[in-house]
């Protein structure tokens, strides 16, 4: 990772600085620094709040990071490593200034600490961090595709039931995001349906079933991902077609089920 030293920001003249609270910015390669965490002193300990790297069952959810750094999803591995180093620095520190010093000593982390002074820039930085962690609101489809692909990479890497799985190809056109090989000849097409209503989900599932039962897809299943679908668990509409939302556990469960299934029948499951 290229190393780069940051210019330490200075507070406005006469402002009263908070010596116990600092914001942390991450600078992705070729991007702009944005707030990614906050740290503060409480007693003789330094506490860290880093909400952009939430993970469940070993799978990190990239959506919050993508909201804050929409053009830097390729840097998510470097960001995760930087957050690990930051967490270690906070654990061994008794004052936020020690963490600030560590960030300056290791510019490869691409982190800089900004002392909180209640300025407009500080408030805007905090607001952007809060918005990035929200689940509601519009999410550009191009970024959603990248998030789904990154999520799948994480699932294949971390789930023991999918150890043989790999991404065979990715697509930049249409609704298909990737084709997965889950081992033993089990092929899965992952399709993102970002702009359909919940009442159209079943119809889209039937269309996907017919596509998967075409002669050239004799051993292929389809995972339809409907981002804002309100469900408690993923559903197999037919033996060929599973429907889920963008919840990491639901996507993982769908792929695990598909990997374990035998040769899917071409018949529609009776309700």
């Amino acid at each position: 990772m290229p190393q780069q030293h940051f210019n330490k920001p200075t507070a406005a003249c006469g402002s009263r600085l908070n010596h116990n609270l600092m914001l942390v910015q991450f600078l992705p390669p070729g991007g702009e620094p944005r707030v990614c965490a906050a740290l503060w002193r409480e007693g003789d300990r330094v506490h860290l709040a880093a909400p952009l790297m939430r993970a469940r069952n070993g799978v990190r959810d990239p959506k919050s990071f993508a909201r804050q750094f929409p053009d830097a999803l390729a840097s998510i591995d470097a960001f995760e490593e930087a957050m690990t180093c930051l967490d270690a620095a906070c654990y061994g520190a008794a004052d936020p200034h020690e963490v600030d010093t560590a960030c300056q000593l290791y510019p490869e982390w691409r982190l800089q600490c900004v002392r909180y002074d209640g300025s407009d820039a500080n408030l805007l930085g905090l607001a952007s961090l809060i918005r990035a962690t929200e689940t509601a609101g519009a999410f550009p489809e191009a970024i959603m595709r990248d998030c789904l692909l990154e999520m799948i990479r994480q699932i294949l890497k971390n789930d023991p039931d999918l150890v043989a799985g790999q991404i065979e190809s990715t697509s930049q056109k249409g609704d298909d995001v990737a084709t997965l090989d889950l081992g033993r000849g089990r092929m899965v097409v992952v399709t993102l349906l970002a702009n359909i209503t919940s009442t159209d989900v079943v119809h889209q599932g039937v269309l996907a079933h017919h596509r998967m039962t075409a002669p050239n897809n004799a051993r292929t299943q389809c995972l339809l991902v409907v981002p804002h679908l309100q469900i408690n668990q993923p559903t197999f509409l037919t033996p060929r077609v599973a429907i889920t939302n963008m919840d990491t556990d639901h996507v993982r469960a769908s792929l695990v089920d598909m990997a374990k299934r035998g040769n899917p029948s071409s018949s529609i499951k009776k309700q």
Side-chain angles (χ1 to χ4, degrees), residues 34-57:
R34 294 189 179 183
V35 176
C36 64
L39 55 93
W40 66 95
R41 182 177 63 193
E42 187 174 326
D44 59 353
R45 294 184 57 193
V46 173
H47 297 264
L48 173 66
L52 298 184
M53 291 304 295
R54 295 172 177 170
R56 287 188 297 183
N57 298 319

Short mmCIF file of all heavy atoms in Angstrom, two decimals, residues 34-57:
data_model
loop_
_atom_site.label_atom_id
_atom_site.label_comp_id
_atom_site.label_asym_id
_atom_site.label_seq_id
_atom_site.Cartn_x
_atom_site.Cartn_y
_atom_site.Cartn_z
N ARG A 34 -12.66 10.92 4.59
CA ARG A 34 -13.97 11.07 5.20
C ARG A 34 -13.95 10.41 6.57
O ARG A 34 -13.16 9.49 6.82
CB ARG A 34 -15.06 10.45 4.34
CG ARG A 34 -15.26 11.17 3.00
CD ARG A 34 -16.47 10.67 2.27
NE ARG A 34 -16.66 11.39 1.01
CZ ARG A 34 -17.69 11.19 0.19
NH1 ARG A 34 -18.61 10.29 0.49
NH2 ARG A 34 -17.79 11.89 -0.92
N VAL A 35 -14.84 10.87 7.43
CA VAL A 35 -14.89 10.34 8.80
C VAL A 35 -15.33 8.88 8.77
O VAL A 35 -16.31 8.51 8.12
CB VAL A 35 -15.85 11.16 9.68
CG1 VAL A 35 -15.98 10.54 11.07
CG2 VAL A 35 -15.35 12.60 9.79
N CYS A 36 -14.59 8.03 9.47
CA CYS A 36 -14.91 6.60 9.53
C CYS A 36 -15.09 6.11 10.95
O CYS A 36 -15.56 4.99 11.15
CB CYS A 36 -13.83 5.79 8.83
SG CYS A 36 -12.19 5.88 9.63
N ALA A 37 -14.71 6.93 11.95
CA ALA A 37 -14.79 6.46 13.34
C ALA A 37 -14.65 7.67 14.27
O ALA A 37 -14.31 8.78 13.85
CB ALA A 37 -13.69 5.44 13.62
N ALA A 38 -14.93 7.42 15.53
CA ALA A 38 -14.72 8.42 16.58
C ALA A 38 -14.08 7.73 17.77
O ALA A 38 -14.32 6.54 18.03
CB ALA A 38 -16.05 9.06 16.98
N LEU A 39 -13.23 8.45 18.48
CA LEU A 39 -12.61 7.88 19.67
C LEU A 39 -12.60 8.95 20.76
O LEU A 39 -12.53 10.14 20.49
CB LEU A 39 -11.21 7.35 19.38
CG LEU A 39 -10.17 8.30 18.74
CD1 LEU A 39 -9.34 8.98 19.82
CD2 LEU A 39 -9.26 7.50 17.81
N TRP A 40 -12.70 8.49 21.99
CA TRP A 40 -12.75 9.41 23.12
C TRP A 40 -12.19 8.75 24.37
O TRP A 40 -12.11 7.51 24.46
CB TRP A 40 -14.19 9.87 23.37
CG TRP A 40 -15.11 8.78 23.82
CD1 TRP A 40 -15.46 8.45 25.10
CD2 TRP A 40 -15.82 7.84 22.97
NE1 TRP A 40 -16.33 7.38 25.11
CE2 TRP A 40 -16.57 7.00 23.82
CE3 TRP A 40 -15.88 7.65 21.58
CZ2 TRP A 40 -17.37 5.97 23.33
CZ3 TRP A 40 -16.67 6.62 21.10
CH2 TRP A 40 -17.40 5.80 21.97
N ARG A 41 -11.80 9.60 25.32
CA ARG A 41 -11.27 9.10 26.58
C ARG A 41 -12.37 9.09 27.62
O ARG A 41 -13.15 10.02 27.76
CB ARG A 41 -10.12 9.99 27.06
CG ARG A 41 -9.47 9.50 28.36
CD ARG A 41 -8.30 10.38 28.74
NE ARG A 41 -8.73 11.75 29.03
CZ ARG A 41 -7.89 12.78 29.14
NH1 ARG A 41 -6.60 12.61 28.96
NH2 ARG A 41 -8.35 13.98 29.41
N GLU A 42 -12.43 8.01 28.35
CA GLU A 42 -13.33 7.88 29.48
C GLU A 42 -12.56 7.24 30.62
O GLU A 42 -12.20 6.06 30.54
CB GLU A 42 -14.56 7.03 29.11
CG GLU A 42 -15.62 6.99 30.20
CD GLU A 42 -16.86 6.26 29.75
OE1 GLU A 42 -17.22 6.35 28.56
OE2 GLU A 42 -17.47 5.58 30.60
N GLY A 43 -12.24 8.04 31.65
CA GLY A 43 -11.37 7.55 32.71
C GLY A 43 -9.96 7.40 32.16
O GLY A 43 -9.41 8.31 31.57
N ASP A 44 -9.39 6.22 32.34
CA ASP A 44 -8.04 5.97 31.83
C ASP A 44 -8.06 5.07 30.60
O ASP A 44 -7.08 4.41 30.28
CB ASP A 44 -7.17 5.34 32.93
CG ASP A 44 -7.74 4.03 33.44
OD1 ASP A 44 -8.87 3.67 33.05
OD2 ASP A 44 -7.06 3.35 34.25
N ARG A 45 -9.20 5.04 29.88
CA ARG A 45 -9.33 4.19 28.70
C ARG A 45 -9.75 5.02 27.49
O ARG A 45 -10.42 6.05 27.62
CB ARG A 45 -10.36 3.09 28.93
CG ARG A 45 -9.97 2.06 29.98
CD ARG A 45 -11.02 0.97 30.05
NE ARG A 45 -11.21 0.34 28.74
CZ ARG A 45 -12.25 -0.47 28.46
NH1 ARG A 45 -13.17 -0.72 29.37
NH2 ARG A 45 -12.35 -1.00 27.25
N VAL A 46 -9.36 4.55 26.33
CA VAL A 46 -9.80 5.16 25.07
C VAL A 46 -10.82 4.23 24.42
O VAL A 46 -10.56 3.04 24.23
CB VAL A 46 -8.61 5.39 24.12
CG1 VAL A 46 -9.09 5.86 22.75
CG2 VAL A 46 -7.65 6.42 24.71
N HIS A 47 -11.97 4.79 24.09
CA HIS A 47 -13.03 4.01 23.46
C HIS A 47 -13.11 4.35 21.98
O HIS A 47 -12.89 5.49 21.58
CB HIS A 47 -14.37 4.31 24.14
CG HIS A 47 -14.43 3.90 25.57
ND1 HIS A 47 -14.95 2.70 25.98
CD2 HIS A 47 -14.00 4.54 26.70
CE1 HIS A 47 -14.86 2.61 27.30
NE2 HIS A 47 -14.28 3.71 27.76
N LEU A 48 -13.47 3.36 21.17
CA LEU A 48 -13.53 3.52 19.72
C LEU A 48 -14.91 3.13 19.22
O LEU A 48 -15.44 2.07 19.57
CB LEU A 48 -12.47 2.64 19.05
CG LEU A 48 -12.52 2.55 17.52
CD1 LEU A 48 -12.19 3.90 16.88
CD2 LEU A 48 -11.56 1.46 17.01
N ALA A 49 -15.50 3.97 18.39
CA ALA A 49 -16.74 3.66 17.69
C ALA A 49 -16.45 3.67 16.19
O ALA A 49 -16.15 4.71 15.62
CB ALA A 49 -17.82 4.68 18.02
N ALA A 50 -16.50 2.48 15.57
CA ALA A 50 -16.20 2.34 14.14
C ALA A 50 -17.33 1.56 13.48
O ALA A 50 -17.24 0.34 13.29
CB ALA A 50 -14.86 1.62 13.96
N PRO A 51 -18.43 2.24 13.12
CA PRO A 51 -19.65 1.53 12.69
C PRO A 51 -19.68 1.08 11.24
O PRO A 51 -20.67 0.47 10.82
CB PRO A 51 -20.74 2.58 12.94
CG PRO A 51 -20.03 3.88 12.71
CD PRO A 51 -18.63 3.69 13.22
N LEU A 52 -18.64 1.36 10.46
CA LEU A 52 -18.69 1.03 9.04
C LEU A 52 -18.33 -0.41 8.71
O LEU A 52 -18.46 -0.82 7.56
CB LEU A 52 -17.76 1.97 8.25
CG LEU A 52 -18.09 3.46 8.30
CD1 LEU A 52 -17.15 4.23 7.40
CD2 LEU A 52 -19.54 3.72 7.90
N MET A 53 -17.88 -1.17 9.69
CA MET A 53 -17.43 -2.54 9.42
C MET A 53 -18.22 -3.55 10.24
O MET A 53 -17.66 -4.39 10.93
CB MET A 53 -15.94 -2.67 9.70
CG MET A 53 -15.06 -1.90 8.73
SD MET A 53 -15.33 -2.36 7.00
CE MET A 53 -14.78 -4.06 7.02
N ARG A 54 -19.52 -3.47 10.17
CA ARG A 54 -20.35 -4.43 10.88
C ARG A 54 -20.23 -5.80 10.23
O ARG A 54 -20.16 -5.93 9.02
CB ARG A 54 -21.81 -3.98 10.86
CG ARG A 54 -22.06 -2.69 11.62
CD ARG A 54 -23.47 -2.19 11.41
NE ARG A 54 -23.72 -0.99 12.19
CZ ARG A 54 -24.81 -0.24 12.06
NH1 ARG A 54 -25.72 -0.58 11.17
NH2 ARG A 54 -24.98 0.82 12.81
N ALA A 55 -20.20 -6.83 11.06
CA ALA A 55 -20.07 -8.20 10.54
C ALA A 55 -20.96 -9.13 11.33
O ALA A 55 -21.19 -8.94 12.53
CB ALA A 55 -18.62 -8.67 10.62
N ARG A 56 -21.48 -10.14 10.64
CA ARG A 56 -22.27 -11.19 11.29
C ARG A 56 -21.79 -12.53 10.76
O ARG A 56 -21.64 -12.71 9.56
CB ARG A 56 -23.76 -11.01 11.01
CG ARG A 56 -24.39 -9.85 11.76
CD ARG A 56 -25.89 -9.83 11.60
NE ARG A 56 -26.29 -9.63 10.22
CZ ARG A 56 -27.56 -9.50 9.82
NH1 ARG A 56 -28.53 -9.57 10.70
NH2 ARG A 56 -27.85 -9.32 8.55
N ASN A 57 -21.56 -13.45 11.70
CA ASN A 57 -21.09 -14.79 11.33
C ASN A 57 -19.85 -14.73 10.45
O ASN A 57 -19.68 -15.51 9.52
CB ASN A 57 -22.20 -15.57 10.62
CG ASN A 57 -23.42 -15.79 11.50
OD1 ASN A 57 -23.28 -16.09 12.69
ND2 ASN A 57 -24.60 -15.62 10.94
#
